[in-house]
Amino acid sequence: PMRDIYLNKTYVDLRWVVTFYDPYKGTEPNFYNEKYLETVEVLSSRYRQDPKDPAIPELLMSLRDQSKYIIDNDPYARVDKTGTLEQLKNKIRRRMKNTSATQSFQLFWSSQYLTPDSFRYYEKELRPLIEANYFRKYGEDGAFIDRFWQIDLYFQGFFALELLTRALYLVRVSQMTFFQALSSRWYDFIWLIPTVHWGWLRLLRFIPYTVRSDQLGSFFSTFVDFYVDRSILWLADQVADQVVIRIIDTLEFQIRSTDYTKLILESVPNTQREGEWQLFINRQGTAFSQQILPEIEPEVTALVKHFVSVALQDNPGYRTLRPLLGNVADQAVEQFIHSLYGVILQSLQRSKTQLVQDTKTQALTLALTRKLSTKLAHELKVAQTIPQLQDLLIMALEDLKANYQKNSPDPGAVGSERPRELPRNNPGL
């Protein structure tokens, strides 16, 4: 791809690169373009010696014929340089102010137009485009000849020798076997991949280059690590967003599709589950009587005292006697409630054994649980409470989803917010 630049000697002469490299690519001068260049050279030489040389008209006719042949047959197409031919045609059209490239060349290479300025224009504008074309041979495999491997072989040999040396060194200074030493330098084997007609495989050599740069702590490795980390953060952010949104969508779907009345009825204790329910009731009864009730006694006493006081305020006799009794009434009420609470607590603690062993108590408890569950499911269904509850839950989940999408951080801009809508798939799948 750089061949045209190497041939341009405006700033520095790099044509030796083309001369060196062309044989490895099976590149040769294009016959038609070379003949065209040689004809112009002869014409220019004769014109400088004698502008009225009798051979000039014949040379001009030959150039007109060659120009028409190049335009009609496009010898540039074989090496994908048709764009260069289009540049050549556009330049001659603008020069001759004619929309036809063939007619423009017919006029350009005519006796009445031939001047020293025409040769100067040709040397500056047209000749580089004609020289740019070349011819490439095909090999027996049907592809262009490519002997780059002959150059690459020197580099592969160097890296193979270096890999062997490193492996032998590791074997000597460590307890590794030769195979383990080679395996530890697995990335260096990428240097040895042959690339005949597989030029894209050379891109894999970026891997060992990156690994070695990272080992050296070079600026390049820091640059690569930075963008790798940013890519990983972006990917993790996208995955996390998808997972969270999918979970919320699934919860909404389950809330809409679940029959809560049936769920409540199915949870009613039956004969198969009586043992489990009995064990549960025993454990919870013990915890309730021995741990929970003693802890909440002050709060329960204060609440019941308040209820009793409010009730007594509505009694006319109590309002009359209240000033005479003073704090005695409040103390009496508080003492009564405290005593009653203690009696209830002691009764529950004493009935622990009875609750565990008495089958009648267990049967009554299970019957109460069944009745309570059935009535609760019936009332929820009659009062249409469940649909309202479903709507409230879904609204809460939608608000949660909107807030998450709004506040989800962008790994590409730390500290920024990016409101966005993520794709929502069918939560039922």
Side-chain angles (χ1 to χ4, degrees), residues 15 42 52 90 223 236-237 244 318 344 353 363 384 397 405:
R15 286 178 295 177
V42 174
K52 296 183 179 181
N90 289 334
F223 177 80
D237 179 71
V244 172
Y318 179 79
I344 295 174
T353 305
Q384 295 295 313
L397 289 175
Q405 292 175 338

Side-chain angles (χ1 to χ4, degrees), residues 29-42 62-63 65-66 70 122 130:
N30 188 282
F31 171 77
Y32 301 103
N33 293 68
E34 286 298 306
K35 183 181 178 182
Y36 198 100
L37 294 171
E38 292 173 358
T39 304
V40 176
E41 286 293 332
V42 174
S62 175
L63 286 172
D65 293 340
Q66 292 181 52
I70 289 176
Y122 165 81
I130 297 173

Side-chain angles (χ1 to χ4, degrees), residues 80-96:
D80 295 328
K81 294 183 70 65
T82 301
T84 304
L85 176 60
E86 290 301 318
Q87 293 180 40
L88 180 66
K89 291 159 63 174
N90 289 334
K91 283 183 178 293
I92 197 65
R93 288 190 189 110
R94 289 193 292 268
R95 176 71 176 184
M96 306 310 298

Side-chain angles (χ1 to χ4, degrees), residues 5 123-124 207 286 362 377 389:
I5 297 177
E123 290 292 333
K124 182 179 179 181
I207 297 174
T286 301
Q362 297 173 356
L389 181 61

Side-chain angles (χ1 to χ4, degrees), residues 153-429:
L153 190 62
Y154 294 101
F155 295 92
Q156 289 178 312
F158 169 79
F159 285 112
L161 179 62
E162 191 237 10
L163 175 60
L164 180 62
T165 304
R166 285 182 179 271
L168 293 174
Y169 174 77
L170 290 174
V171 170
R172 184 169 183 177
V173 301
S174 66
Q175 300 299 323
M176 289 184 176
T177 64
F178 183 72
F179 178 76
Q180 291 174 337
L182 288 176
S183 300
S184 67
R185 308 286 302 183
W186 61 269
Y187 46 86
D188 281 339
F189 282 95
I190 298 177
W191 296 115
L192 310 181
I193 298 176
T195 58
V196 179
H197 300 317
W198 293 74
W200 59 270
L201 286 175
R202 297 178 202 139
L203 296 176
L204 296 177
R205 295 176 179 179
F206 182 77
I207 297 174
Y209 177 75
T210 304
V211 173
R212 293 197 174 202
S213 297
D214 183 67
Q215 292 172 350
L216 293 173
S218 66
F219 169 78
F220 176 76
S221 65
T222 306
F223 177 80
V224 171
D225 290 342
F226 173 75
Y227 278 97
V228 168
D229 290 344
R230 287 175 66 90
S231 301
I232 293 175
L233 286 174
W234 177 86
L235 181 61
D237 179 71
Q238 296 300 315
V239 172
D241 286 349
Q242 293 290 346
V243 170
V244 172
I245 297 302
R246 179 64 64 85
I247 290 175
I248 295 176
D249 288 341
T250 303
L251 288 175
E252 292 180 1
F253 175 77
Q254 293 298 330
I255 290 173
R256 291 187 184 277
S257 61
T258 301
D259 186 352
Y260 292 94
T261 303
K262 182 179 179 182
L263 185 63
I264 294 174
L265 293 176
E266 288 179 350
S267 66
V268 176
N270 50 42
T271 55
Q272 290 82 11
R273 298 180 181 176
E274 284 186 1
E276 298 177 4
W277 276 90
Q278 290 173 3
L279 181 61
F280 173 78
I281 291 173
N282 292 337
R283 290 177 178 176
Q284 299 306 315
T286 301
F288 184 75
S289 62
Q290 294 185 356
Q291 299 177 12
I292 298 177
L293 288 180
E295 293 291 336
I296 64 174
E297 179 182 354
E299 288 76 12
V300 173
T301 302
L303 180 62
V304 175
K305 178 183 176 182
H306 172 71
F307 288 156
V308 172
S309 300
V310 171
L312 291 175
Q313 292 294 335
D314 296 333
N315 190 304
Y318 179 79
R319 288 199 301 268
T320 303
L321 297 176
R322 181 72 177 81
L324 300 175
L325 296 176
N327 295 331
V328 176
D330 293 337
Q331 293 175 358
V333 170
E334 184 175 354
Q335 184 64 32
F336 173 75
I337 295 172
H338 179 73
S339 300
L340 179 62
Y341 192 88
V343 171
I344 295 174
L345 183 60
Q346 291 177 4
S347 300
L348 288 174
Q349 291 175 351
R350 290 173 182 174
S351 63
K352 173 185 176 183
T353 305
Q354 181 182 359
L355 185 63
V356 175
Q357 297 178 356
D358 189 359
T359 56
K360 184 176 181 180
T361 303
Q362 297 173 356
L364 292 174
T365 305
L366 291 174
L368 175 63
T369 306
R370 292 193 187 98
K371 186 68 173 181
L372 180 63
S373 300
T374 304
K375 293 299 294 182
L376 176 62
H378 176 73
E379 293 301 325
L380 288 176
K381 186 175 182 180
V382 171
Q384 295 295 313
T385 304
I386 292 179
Q388 298 177 11
L389 181 61
Q390 288 175 324
D391 292 339
L392 290 174
L393 290 175
I394 290 174
M395 289 173 57
L397 289 175
E398 287 293 335
D399 292 340
L400 175 63
K401 186 194 301 183
N403 290 332
Y404 177 81
Q405 292 175 338
K406 178 180 179 181
N407 299 324
S408 181
D410 185 355
V414 178
S416 65
E417 295 182 354
R418 46 171 184 152
R420 64 184 186 277
E421 282 294 332
L422 296 176
R424 296 176 57 185
N425 299 326
N426 185 357
L429 295 180

